[in-house]
């Protein structure tokens, strides 16, 4: 039954083609043939061939199909496309006015055929504009216009209307400062010793209206942003970075969009490599096993070369290295990492090997150690209530061979009076010594002192 139905369908299709296509074409061809009497027999002979009409009908059918198909594509190929973040070009008197509220970019929705949209997107004459010519200071609603070369394209702009504020332009002079960017990308052994911009002052232009977002009254500083990634040479010596951009900031460090004249300058940098040989100071932490003390500390290196700015190097006296010796009862070797002191950019050593040798512990007292005062404000002076508050006895523990050579000159007792104000206080006594193999303990834990204004 299915085969019979399919045959009936094909018969109907063939009858339609024969009636609608083949027969009309045949009639046209016969009429054309009759108009050519001289070649009638030749043409009739060609036309009478079995496959001629079949091929002609097929060709015409294909042509008709293509034409109709293309018409359908044209009618159904309407589409839309959004052009994001199109830059807005504004026309106004830049020398006389400042404009705020105008969008920097807009979105354009284009509607049309695919081919027209393709051409429109490739066009270099398309642009988004706002014309403020002739407008005076104040608030205005203006149209955002889009120009494109094809009339067959429909479009919409978002936003299509903008509310702008126009202010009279004024100017003032600001002192220029500098800010270094990407300093961590500089070789750790190098430092920027000095920065010299070609100008000390610049002119900023904008509005002095306090209600404006980028009012000149909000400008707290103007900085030259020196990017060390722009260095052409990263060696010791003087080098110049050209076209360093300038940026204005408010008191909170937020950037402001004001005009700066000039917008870019050249900056000279003095690159140096200050260094210093600094001893490594071993600081044992914790209590060694009962009856034991450190006899000797052997170090793979006793000092390291550090690289930092000159002011950091001047204050740096040693590289402290704490070692946990809690419960240590026998000789032991340590391999420890060195921590860079604050402000140090690089060190010649990253780690060190130590060997602690132990011996039998003994102790003794060293009397009359004067108490030093540290970190007291220069406006004040300090007094002890009695002699016992200005001197202490220090008990030292270690092996006898080390203690025998120890004197009061090797011990420092002190009190830290940072942030103390005038008044009477009991403050803790701290003790330190020159030999890290020795444990120092003040027998007086606190002293009573009085702080007065000078």
């Amino acid at each position: 039954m299915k085969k019979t139905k399919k045959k009936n369908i094909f018969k109907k299709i063939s009858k339609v083609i024969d009636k609608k296509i083949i027969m009309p074409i045949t009639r046209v061809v016969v009429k054309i043939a009759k108009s050519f009497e001289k070649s009638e027999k030749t043409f009739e002979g060609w036309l009478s061939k079995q496959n001629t009409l079949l091929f002609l009908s097929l060709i015409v059918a294909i042509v008709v199909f293509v034409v109709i198909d293309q018409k359908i594509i044209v009618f159904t190929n309407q589409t839309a496309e959004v052009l994001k973040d199109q830059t807005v070009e504004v026309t106004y008197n830049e020398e006389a006015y400042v404009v705020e509220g105008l969008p920097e970019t807009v979105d354009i929705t284009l509607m049309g055929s695919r081919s027209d949209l393709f051409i429109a997107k490739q066009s270099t004459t398309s642009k988004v504009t706002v014309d403020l010519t002739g407008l005076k200071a104040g608030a205005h609603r203006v149209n955002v216009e889009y120009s494109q070369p094809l009339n067959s394209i429909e479009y919409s702009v978002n936003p299509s209307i903008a509310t702008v504020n126009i202010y009279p332009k004024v100017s003032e002079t600001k002192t220029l400062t500098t800010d270094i960017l990407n300093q961590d990308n500089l070789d750790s052994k190098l430092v920027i010793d000095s920065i010299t911009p070609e100008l000390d002052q610049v002119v900023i232009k904008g509005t002095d209206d306090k209600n404006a977002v980028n009012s000149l009254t909000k400008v707290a500083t103007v900085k030259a942003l020196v990017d060390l990634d722009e260095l052409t040479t990263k060696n010791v010596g003087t080098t110049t970075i050209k076209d360093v951009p300038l940026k204005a900031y408010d008191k909170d460090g937020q950037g402001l969009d004001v005009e700066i004249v000039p917008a870019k300058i050249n900056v000279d940098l003095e690159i140096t490599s200050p260094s210093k040989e600094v001893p490594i100071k071993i600081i044992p932490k914790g209590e060694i096993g009962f009856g034991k003390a450190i006899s000797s500390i052997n170090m793979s290196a006793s000092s390291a070369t550090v690289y930092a700015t000159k002011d950091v190097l001047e204050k740096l006296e040693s590289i402290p290295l704490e070692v946990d010796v809690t419960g240590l009862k026998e000789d032991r070797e340590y391999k420890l990492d060195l921590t860079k002191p604050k402000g140090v950019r690089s060190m010649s050593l990253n780690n060190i090997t130590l060997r602690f040798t132990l011996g039998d512990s003994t102790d003794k007292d060293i009397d009359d150690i004067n108490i030093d005062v540290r970190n007291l404000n220069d406006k004040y002076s300090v007094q002890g209530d009695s002699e016992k508050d200005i001197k202490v006895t220090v008990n030292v523990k270690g092996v006898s061979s080390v203690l025998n050579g120890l004197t009061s000159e090797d011990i420092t007792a002190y009190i830290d009076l940072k942030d103390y104000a005038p008044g009477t206080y009991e403050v803790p006594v701290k003790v330190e010594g020159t030999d890290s193999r020795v444990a120092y303990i003040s027998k007086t834990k606190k002293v009573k002192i009085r702080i007065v204004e000078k």
Side-chain angles (χ1 to χ4, degrees):
M1 289 297 290
K2 291 183 179 179
K3 290 183 178 179
T4 303
K5 287 183 179 180
K6 289 182 178 179
K7 287 180 179 180
N8 292 335
I9 292 172
F10 286 123
K11 282 182 179 181
K12 291 180 180 180
I13 293 173
S14 63
K15 286 181 180 181
V16 173
I17 293 174
D18 184 59
K19 182 178 179 181
K20 299 295 185 180
I21 299 176
I22 296 178
M23 292 304 293
I25 292 174
T26 303
R27 292 191 187 100
V28 173
V29 172
V30 170
K31 288 180 181 180
I32 294 173
K34 287 180 179 180
S35 65
F36 296 96
E37 294 179 355
K38 292 182 181 180
S39 58
E40 183 177 353
K41 291 182 180 180
T42 304
F43 188 76
E44 286 181 355
W46 174 77
L47 192 60
S48 64
K49 290 183 180 180
Q50 185 176 2
N51 295 328
T52 299
L53 291 178
L54 181 61
F55 283 121
L56 284 174
S57 300
L58 181 61
I59 291 171
V60 173
I62 292 173
V63 171
V64 172
F65 172 78
V66 171
V67 170
I68 294 174
D69 185 61
Q70 289 301 313
K71 285 293 183 180
I72 293 172
I73 291 175
V74 170
F75 286 121
T76 60
N77 200 25
Q78 299 296 312
T79 186
E81 188 162 344
V82 178
L83 304 180
K84 292 283 190 180
D85 300 327
Q86 301 300 295
T87 302
V88 177
E89 298 180 12
V90 58
T91 303
Y92 68 101
N93 187 346
E94 298 183 23
E95 294 298 322
Y97 298 108
V98 175
V99 176
E100 288 187 352
L102 194 67
E104 295 183 1
T105 62
V106 296
D107 296 338
I108 307 294
T109 302
L110 301 178
M111 293 161 286
S113 66
R114 292 185 185 275
S115 56
D116 288 344
L117 290 183
F118 177 79
I119 295 172
K121 289 192 298 181
Q122 302 303 316
S123 174
T124 57
T125 60
S126 300
K127 58 183 179 180
V128 182
T129 60
V130 173
D131 190 355
L132 303 180
T133 304
L135 296 182
K136 302 300 182 181
H140 304 271
R141 283 172 61 84
V142 295
N143 294 324
V144 182
E145 302 289 347
Y146 175 66
S147 61
Q148 48 85 26
L150 297 179
N151 294 329
S152 58
I153 293 290
E154 296 182 8
Y155 69 88
S156 64
V157 181
N158 183 29
S160 60
I161 297 177
T163 300
V164 299
N165 291 304
I166 301 178
Y167 303 98
K169 179 178 282 189
V170 297
S171 63
E172 63 179 78
T173 302
K174 280 287 185 180
T175 300
L176 182 65
T177 59
T178 56
D179 201 359
I180 299 179
L181 307 180
N182 295 312
Q183 187 166 1
D184 291 339
N185 294 345
L186 189 67
D187 189 313
S188 59
K189 294 182 180 180
L190 302 177
V191 298
I192 305 300
D193 195 52
S194 65
I195 304 175
T196 308
E198 63 177 332
L199 296 174
D200 294 330
Q201 293 183 324
V202 294
V203 176
I204 58 174
K205 296 182 178 182
T207 176
D208 58 359
D209 192 315
K210 294 181 179 180
N211 296 321
V213 175
N214 295 297
S215 173
L216 295 188
T217 60
K218 299 178 181 180
V219 177
T221 182
V222 178
K223 294 183 178 182
L225 305 179
V226 182
D227 190 348
L228 297 188
D229 282 347
E230 300 296 326
L231 283 173
T232 56
T233 176
K234 296 184 179 181
N235 299 317
V236 173
T238 301
T239 186
T240 300
I241 300 182
K242 296 183 177 181
D243 297 329
V244 174
L246 307 184
K247 183 69 177 179
Y249 296 90
D250 63 15
K251 64 180 182 179
D252 299 319
Q254 299 296 319
L256 295 172
D257 185 17
V258 300
E259 182 182 351
I260 304 174
V261 181
K264 297 180 179 180
I265 62 170
N266 296 337
V267 177
D268 292 333
L269 301 180
E270 181 68 27
I271 302 177
T272 60
S273 182
S275 63
K276 180 180 179 180
E277 191 79 13
V278 180
I280 300 171
K281 183 178 180 180
I282 307 301
I283 305 174
K285 289 291 184 178
E287 292 188 8
I288 295 179
F290 180 77
K292 295 293 181 180
I294 301 172
S295 174
S296 64
I297 304 175
N298 294 319
M299 308 166 60
S300 60
S302 59
S303 63
T305 301
V306 298
Y307 298 86
T309 58
K310 292 179 180 178
D311 56 335
V312 172
L313 294 179
E314 288 175 358
K315 299 176 182 178
L316 189 61
E317 297 180 354
S318 63
I319 302 172
L321 177 60
E322 295 185 353
V323 184
D324 186 4
V325 295
T326 303
L328 189 63
K329 296 181 179 180
E330 57 186 16
D331 299 350
R332 182 177 173 181
E333 186 173 277
Y334 298 84
K335 188 172 184 178
L336 303 172
D337 293 330
L338 293 175
T339 301
K340 289 186 293 186
K342 184 178 180 180
V344 172
R345 290 178 54 82
S346 180
M347 298 192 301
S348 60
L349 293 176
N350 293 320
N351 53 66
I352 187 175
T353 300
L354 308 174
R355 182 168 181 80
F356 281 65
T357 302
L358 302 185
D360 294 331
S361 175
T362 186
D363 69 293
K364 69 175 184 179
D365 292 337
I366 298 181
D367 300 321
D368 298 329
I369 304 295
N370 289 322
I371 300 176
D372 294 339
V373 176
R374 294 183 181 179
N375 300 318
L376 180 64
N377 193 305
D378 292 337
K379 299 184 298 182
Y380 309 136
S381 62
V382 62
Q383 302 170 351
D385 270 9
S386 62
E387 185 176 353
K388 68 177 182 179
D389 294 315
I390 60 175
K391 292 184 178 182
V392 294
T393 297
V394 175
N395 179 259
V396 292
K397 292 183 179 181
V399 296
S400 57
S401 59
V402 174
L403 298 185
N404 288 339
L406 204 64
T407 68
S408 60
E409 300 296 325
D410 300 315
I411 303 172
T412 301
Y414 66 95
I415 52 177
D416 189 345
L417 300 181
K418 183 180 180 180
D419 298 329
Y420 276 72
T424 301
Y425 307 92
E426 280 192 351
V427 294
V429 179
K430 300 180 181 180
V431 183
E432 61 185 18
T434 58
D435 198 324
S436 57
R437 297 171 295 178
V438 177
Y440 306 88
I441 301 173
S442 173
K443 286 196 167 184
T444 302
K445 302 303 179 183
K446 290 185 177 182
V447 292
K448 191 173 183 179
I449 53 108
R450 183 170 60 256
I451 299 175
V452 297
E453 292 189 5
K454 291 182 178 178

